[in-house]
Each structure stands twice: as structure tokens, then as C-alpha cells.
Amino acid sequence: MITTAVIALLLPPFLVTNCWLYLLGYTGVWRTWFPASIYSPWGTVWILALLTWPITLFLVSGAWQRLEASQLESEPNLRGWRLIRWLLLPLAAPALGLAVVLTMVVTFNNFAVPAILQTKVYAAELWVSFSTTFDYGAVVRLSWPLVAAPILLLLFLNRRNIPWPASEERVSPRLLRAQLGEGWFWSCAGITAFLIFVSVGLPLGQLLGTSQTWMAFPKAFAAAKPALQSSFLFAFSASVVSAAIGLLIWRWRLGHLLWVPCLVPGVLVGITLIF
């Protein structure tokens, strides 16, 4: 499940958006029995949620791994909803708050999904304004919210212990499942299976399960081979440079400021580099 959540987090936004355009676009195959257009604010929210739900999963999972077996064994009547209300939710509350703030910053600065769905958002409007006027001064004046959001996030995270899933388990899964109850367990399992299906299964199924993909792939690979080689070269070089910089400055107290260019929209970084 964790591996599938990582895949959901790393899928290209245009791939997921293209899948839902195929299903719920103006001529989508699901429109006959589900008359909802993906070209709407709610459609944008839906796709952004499919791309970012693993953030909450990772943080909450890391928080719940601090659960001790003694906390469950000391009170046998702490089961079902009472277990969730009095133990699991309080334990995950800081992680949930962090997940909400981090997801909000990531989606606030997302450019690709709203642009494809023709939804007006601040990052997209900033790019449209720049591409028509090439006014760098206006970009500086208008882009402060896109930079302020990551900075506020870093201030929020300062000196906080960020939970993250670990390989070791403090509580036996059987014990937690017994305390939680079959009803809650299978309900959560059903929601998880649904999320994995709509966020990973449908996009990859449409991509890999269509015969046109495999028929067009050899020609596309031959035509775009130089571009594909460049993509791998750029990605590999960027990862090596990033790792080297991280090894050199990991002791610096101000190193966390480098999260700012990671969290601001790529379009804003591009405009800055053009200038």
C-alpha cells in the first residue's frame, strides 16, 4: 500500500488529468451515466486530491507508529470508535495539521492541473500575464503570495518533529485490528482500495491497457529518442547535483530555506531564470 501511495504521489499530473478527461470530459466515456464534467473547480479539486492524498497517509502513518502496545492492552474496552476518538485521533492530530498545511501549499502552487482544466488559479494567471507583457516588475509584485506560502510553511515546520513511516512496528497489526474491530477495519480497507483504484489503477490502466499505446510507442520512441535521452540525462544530473549539495550543507542551520524553490511554482522559477 505504501509503495502504491508513492506511485500515486509521483505520477505526472498531466497523465492523471488526461485519464479523467477521457472519462469525464465533454465526450468522456462515463458521461452517459455520470453527468459531471471534469472542467470545473470541483474537478480540479478532485484531481489535486488524487495527486496529494499520500502526503496525509505518510504523515499519519508515521504518527501512529509511535503507538505503544501497552496503550491498547491496558484498556480492553477501548475499541472501535472510542479507540479512534480517544487515542488514534489525538495521536495523529499534529500530523493531520501538518498534512493540511503542506497539501495546501503544494496545491496552491500547482500549475499544470488547473491550466489543463482551464480553471483560473493565481499561478496560471501570473504566467498568462507574463507571457503577454513580459513585465518582470509585475511578476515580482504579483508573485509574493506564491513565495509567502512556502515561507510560512517553513516557519510552521520549524523545530517540529515530522513523523514519517518506519520499517519497525511497535504494535502488532493483529492487536490493532482486533481493537479497531472488523467493521472499521474493512471500511478503511475499502476506502484505501478505492483511492488506489482511482488514483493509480485508472491512469496506469488507461495508459498500459490501451492497444494504441503499444502500437504508437515504437514510432514515438524513435521520433523522440533524443528528447528521451535528454530527459534521462537532465533528471540524473539534477539528482546527482541535489544529492551532492545536500551532503555538503546538511549541517547548515539555514539549509531548510532551500525548500522554498522546491515549493514555489516551477513557472515562477522559470520566469526568474529567464530574467
Side-chain angles (χ1 to χ4, degrees), residues 133-260:
T133 64
F134 295 96
D135 188 349
Y136 292 97
V139 171
V140 173
R141 292 191 299 269
L142 296 176
S143 61
W144 69 265
L146 303 177
V147 180
I151 293 176
L152 291 175
L153 173 63
L154 293 176
L155 294 176
F156 179 79
L157 297 179
N158 190 30
R159 297 180 181 179
R160 285 179 176 265
N161 183 20
I162 301 177
W164 202 251
S167 57
E168 66 273 5
E169 296 283 351
R170 296 186 181 183
V171 178
S172 168
R174 291 180 179 270
L175 176 60
L176 182 59
R177 177 174 174 175
Q179 293 291 109
L180 192 61
E182 293 294 318
W184 280 103
F185 175 81
W186 288 110
S187 298
C188 295
I191 294 172
T192 304
F194 173 76
L195 278 174
I196 290 175
F197 173 72
V198 296
S199 62
V200 178
L202 284 178
L204 291 184
Q206 185 206 15
L207 178 66
L208 302 178
T210 305
S211 59
Q212 295 178 351
T213 300
W214 303 106
M215 293 174 60
F217 182 76
K219 297 180 181 179
F221 178 79
K225 189 175 181 180
L228 186 63
Q229 293 174 344
S230 299
S231 297
F232 278 110
L233 177 62
F234 294 155
F236 176 76
S237 302
S239 65
V240 172
V241 172
S242 299
I245 294 175
L247 289 174
L248 291 174
I249 68 170
W250 71 276
R251 291 181 178 272
W252 293 12
R253 297 186 62 182
L254 297 179
H256 62 278
L257 292 178
L258 293 178
W259 278 101
V260 173

Side-chain angles (χ1 to χ4, degrees), residues 13-25 29 38 47 197-198 200-207:
F14 72 86
L15 175 64
V16 180
T17 307
N18 180 71
C19 171
W20 287 96
L21 288 176
Y22 171 77
L23 297 175
L24 294 177
V29 297
I38 201 68
I47 294 179
F197 173 72
V198 296
V200 178
L202 284 178
L204 291 184
Q206 185 206 15
L207 178 66

Side-chain angles (χ1 to χ4, degrees), residues 80-95:
W81 169 245
R82 286 175 293 184
L83 174 67
I84 297 174
R85 178 182 179 184
W86 298 110
L87 185 58
L88 295 184
L89 281 181
L91 192 62

Side-chain angles (χ1 to χ4, degrees), residues 49-157:
L50 294 182
L51 292 171
T52 56
W53 67 267
I55 295 175
T56 303
L57 171 69
F58 296 146
L59 294 175
V60 173
S61 297
W64 280 343
Q65 282 188 334
R66 294 181 296 179
L67 189 67
E68 301 285 349
S70 58
Q71 294 174 302
L72 299 177
E73 296 170 345
S74 60
E75 181 50 71
N77 291 325
L78 194 64
R79 295 175 177 271
W81 169 245
R82 286 175 293 184
L83 174 67
I84 297 174
R85 178 182 179 184
W86 298 110
L87 185 58
L88 295 184
L89 281 181
L91 192 62
L96 278 173
L98 174 60
V100 169
V101 175
L102 180 57
T103 303
M104 184 179 68
V105 171
V106 171
T107 54
F108 177 76
N109 290 338
N110 188 285
F111 174 81
V113 174
I116 295 174
L117 297 182
Q118 303 174 15
T119 304
K120 290 186 176 182
V121 295
Y122 200 81
E125 291 299 306
L126 183 67
W127 169 251
V128 171
S129 175
F130 170 75
S131 61
T132 54
T133 64
F134 295 96
D135 188 349
Y136 292 97
V139 171
V140 173
R141 292 191 299 269
L142 296 176
S143 61
W144 69 265
L146 303 177
V147 180
I151 293 176
L152 291 175
L153 173 63
L154 293 176
L155 294 176
F156 179 79
L157 297 179

